[in-house]
Amino acid sequence: MAAQGVEEAVKHDGRAESAETLSSPERTQNVNVILAIERNETMMEAPPLTVPARAVKLRKEGCPGCRLDEINETKTGIPYLNFLYIWIVCLCSTLPIQSLFPYLYFMIRDLKVAKQEQDIGFYAGFVGATYFLARTFSSVPWGMFADKYGRKPCIVISILSVIIFNTLFGLSTTYWMAIVTRGLLGLLCGILGPIKAYASEVCRKEHQALGISLVTSSRAMAFVIGPAIGGFLSQPAKKYPHIFTEESIFGKFPYFLPCFAISVLAAVACIACIWLPETLHMHHDDNVQDTDEMETQVVDSSIQDRKSKEYGPVVSTKGLLKNSHLMLAITLYCVFSLYDTAYHEIFSLWAVSSRKYQGLSFTSQDVGIVLVISGLGIFVNQVVFYPFLAKYVRLMKQIQFAAVLSILLLAAYPYMANLYGMDLKIVINIASLLKNIFAATITTACNILQNTAVTQEQRGVANGISVTLMSLFKAVGPAVAGILFSWAQKNVTGLFLPGDQILFLLLNVVSVIGLLLSFMRFPGSRVK
């Protein structure tokens, strides 16, 4: 009644007053008054089931996800402490991968499995591939585990596996012991998929891009710390004889010290996990009471409607494979992961190989320094520059630009072997820095695409599928790269091109395939 009276008064005033006497702000104010009165009357008169779902929040006592949502609603700022824990945990889970590259060539040589020098790359490739091959079989089960029991238990078990099996890898006395310990590490370290889901869930929506980029930046920092640990701490009895003797454990096991140092850092990360909040909504317990059963039904219905509008119908785990948005993002992620892993394998082997095989004759310290500088550049880029890039450049454009620049840059790599001294070190550091920044940009964009393609309830499994397929491609990468590198060293003169040029040309073919895929639009895909 009050709304009708006001409306009639405004209509009467509108007929009595001209446009000159009733200004635009006054008309707007009158309309706002009417809408406010109508809205209040509607909420007072309507039954509970007609309350807008947006005004009702689903809350369950004892649910860690609901508790975290309440905290994020009251605290609108960036959750720096949670992001710090994510960063530390992700760093320690990545260090065993990145620390391997500076000394892998020498480790295979010392294990005496290669009959000639040119075969070292062949065997090194399989050591690098074993970790990713094992992770291929375990990623989806870990994703399902994280969706059912929580992200935090998955993270803790993964860090414990790093502590145990990375230490055993450093104590390897045979080639097969190295293979087995790397395989067990990949099988039990299921952190990659859940940690990306966790990073997008532990904060408010407006901070999700920062959370995902922090996962990438921590992996970038692993590029800094990992190669430094591997390059400077391997073979300590030879490098630092005044500290370590040949009779000590570090003299008998020359590659144990870098692995042991990483395991100590992982133990610190495991302690940090105590303060990690759980993000998964655990509403499957029938004993837990709803705050209001009627409101829960309203909100559940609203959530289903909203998910249907944003992502299409809510699907089962098998139905994720039919999500065109998700599958396009995963496909791009897999192709560029193959490209990136093969590059790191080839670069580390190429840098330390002899000049007579078109290598650079670097030491493990030289390789470590190059990768440390690259890692620092990635870290600065991801923390400082990428958030601004994400605001103004679409994700698919980021991938396309970075892929084109990577192809052009990598084509110049074989010619760098003609340089010497300081000129070589400056050029190779700049090239490695740019190449790894481009790779980090592509990885971050693909991760954001994947996490926005599904709902929270499916994010763990979706990332598990992604990591499974990506790990399969990454397992192929080092193995094939090692075989091709060995072939290139045996065919220095080449057929129509020198062996090293053919090697980098084949590597660029993979990037071209990824670039072409980025222009595809799967039916129903909203990827931009």
Side-chain angles (χ1 to χ4, degrees):
M1 294 295 293
Q4 184 177 359
V6 174
E7 185 177 4
E8 289 176 358
V10 173
K11 289 180 180 179
H12 179 269
D13 291 343
R15 288 192 299 267
E17 297 180 353
S18 63
E20 290 80 4
T21 60
L22 187 59
S23 63
S24 177
E26 291 173 337
R27 289 197 302 271
T28 303
Q29 184 177 7
N30 287 335
V31 172
N32 289 338
V33 170
I34 295 169
L35 293 176
I37 295 173
E38 289 179 340
R39 182 161 55 249
N40 290 333
E41 288 184 354
T42 301
M43 294 186 67
M44 286 187 294
E45 295 174 1
L49 286 177
T50 62
V51 175
R54 187 176 301 182
V56 182
K57 298 295 184 181
L58 175 62
R59 292 289 183 267
K60 290 211 174 184
E61 295 295 333
C63 174
C66 291
R67 185 164 56 249
L68 183 62
D69 285 347
E70 291 177 353
I71 295 173
N72 286 333
E73 285 178 3
T74 57
K75 297 181 180 180
T76 59
I78 298 173
Y80 291 104
L81 196 58
N82 291 337
F83 279 169
L84 175 63
Y85 296 148
I86 293 172
W87 193 86
I88 293 173
V89 167
C90 194
L91 170 69
C92 293
S93 68
T94 311
L95 284 176
I97 303 173
Q98 303 303 335
S99 64
L100 183 66
F101 293 113
Y103 65 80
L104 179 60
Y105 183 92
F106 304 103
M107 185 179 188
I108 299 301
R109 183 196 63 188
D110 292 348
L111 291 176
K112 302 185 184 304
V113 66
K115 295 181 180 179
Q116 53 183 341
E117 186 178 352
Q118 297 94 318
D119 292 331
I120 291 178
F122 176 85
Y123 291 99
F126 287 104
V127 173
T130 302
Y131 174 89
F132 299 109
L133 182 62
R135 198 169 68 179
T136 300
F137 297 103
S138 65
S139 295
V140 170
W142 275 120
M144 297 172 67
F145 179 91
D147 280 346
K148 184 175 181 180
Y149 298 105
R151 320 302 192 204
K152 187 172 178 177
C154 179
I155 293 172
V156 171
I157 294 173
S158 298
I159 292 298
L160 288 174
S161 71
V162 171
I163 297 172
I164 297 171
F165 295 106
N166 184 63
T167 302
L168 292 176
F169 175 75
L171 296 172
S172 297
T173 54
T174 65
Y175 179 72
W176 288 109
M177 181 178 177
I179 290 286
V180 170
T181 52
R182 290 291 290 184
L184 290 173
L185 177 60
L187 193 67
L188 296 176
C189 186
I191 198 173
L192 184 55
I195 200 68
K196 289 188 290 185
Y198 186 90
S200 63
E201 296 167 356
V202 78
C203 59
R204 295 169 64 91
K205 186 175 182 180
E206 57 265 30
H207 305 313
Q208 286 181 354
L210 177 60
I212 295 294
S213 67
L214 279 174
V215 173
T216 306
S217 69
S218 67
R219 296 170 70 80
M221 185 52 67
F223 270 103
V224 179
I225 301 175
I229 291 174
F232 290 97
L233 298 186
S234 60
Q235 299 174 310
K238 292 182 179 179
K239 295 175 182 176
Y240 318 107
H242 57 288
I243 301 176
F244 304 98
T245 64
E246 291 289 346
E247 290 76 23
S248 66
I249 187 173
F250 302 111
K252 296 178 181 178
F253 302 96
Y255 307 101
F256 173 63
L257 183 57
C259 295
F260 178 72
I262 292 171
S263 296
V264 171
L265 291 175
V268 174
C270 192
I271 296 174
C273 289
I274 297 173
W275 292 277
L276 280 177
E278 180 58 66
T279 62
L280 185 66
H281 287 272
M282 298 181 180
H283 293 175
H284 52 273
D285 189 353
D286 294 332
N287 295 325
V288 177
Q289 298 296 323
D290 294 346
T291 55
D292 190 323
E293 173 125 22
M294 195 69 74
E295 291 180 352
T296 298
Q297 294 176 3
V298 174
V299 175
D300 285 344
S301 176
S302 172
I303 291 174
Q304 296 295 332
D305 292 341
R306 177 170 56 81
K307 289 175 182 177
S308 296
K309 291 179 181 179
E310 293 183 0
Y311 305 108
V314 179
V315 294
S316 63
T317 301
K318 294 181 180 179
L320 288 174
L321 299 176
K322 299 179 181 179
N323 185 330
S324 58
H325 184 175
L326 175 65
M327 295 313 297
L328 175 56
I330 290 178
T331 302
L332 290 172
Y333 186 41
C334 290
V335 172
F336 284 109
S337 293
L338 169 63
Y339 172 65
D340 193 42
T341 309
Y343 163 78
H344 285 296
E345 185 78 16
I346 289 173
F347 177 80
S348 62
L349 296 174
W350 173 64
V352 299
S353 62
S354 174
R355 283 279 184 177
K356 64 182 179 181
Y357 300 121
Q358 302 299 318
L360 304 181
S361 293
F362 276 14
T363 64
S364 60
Q365 291 98 322
D366 293 331
V367 177
I369 291 172
V370 172
L371 296 179
V372 163
I373 294 174
S374 298
L376 284 173
I378 296 173
F379 178 76
V380 173
N381 177 74
Q382 293 300 114
V383 174
V384 178
F385 298 109
Y386 183 79
F388 293 98
L389 179 68
K391 287 183 180 179
Y392 302 108
V393 182
R394 291 181 177 180
L395 294 172
M396 294 304 291
K397 292 296 182 184
Q398 295 175 28
I399 294 172
Q400 291 160 4
F401 289 148
V404 170
L405 294 174
S406 292
I407 292 169
L408 297 176
L409 180 62
L410 206 63
Y413 265 58
Y415 301 100
M416 296 178 190
N418 298 323
L419 300 175
Y420 291 88
M422 187 58 64
D423 292 340
L424 172 62
K425 292 185 177 180
I426 292 174
V427 170
I428 204 70
N429 273 287
I430 294 174
S432 177
L433 171 63
L434 293 175
K435 171 66 184 66
N436 286 296
I437 286 177
F438 298 150
T441 300
I442 293 172
T443 299
T444 305
C446 289
N447 285 335
I448 295 174
L449 287 173
Q450 292 171 33
N451 281 282
T452 56
V454 293
T455 60
Q456 186 195 36
E457 292 78 9
Q458 299 168 331
R459 206 166 279 155
V461 176
N463 279 285
I465 294 172
S466 171
V467 174
T468 295
L469 297 176
M470 177 269 290
S471 297
L472 180 60
F473 277 70
K474 280 196 170 187
V476 172
V480 173
I483 294 171
L484 290 176
F485 180 81
S486 180
W487 174 88
Q489 289 202 322
K490 293 177 181 178
N491 296 272
V492 176
T493 57
L495 302 175
F496 60 94
L497 286 174
D500 59 333
Q501 293 191 26
I502 295 177
L503 180 65
F504 284 102
L505 177 63
L506 293 174
L507 188 57
N508 259 341
V509 169
V510 180
S511 186
V512 171
I513 293 173
L515 177 62
L516 295 176
L517 287 172
S518 70
F519 290 97
M520 292 182 61
R521 291 294 182 270
F522 291 0
S525 176
R526 299 186 297 106
V527 178
K528 295 182 180 180

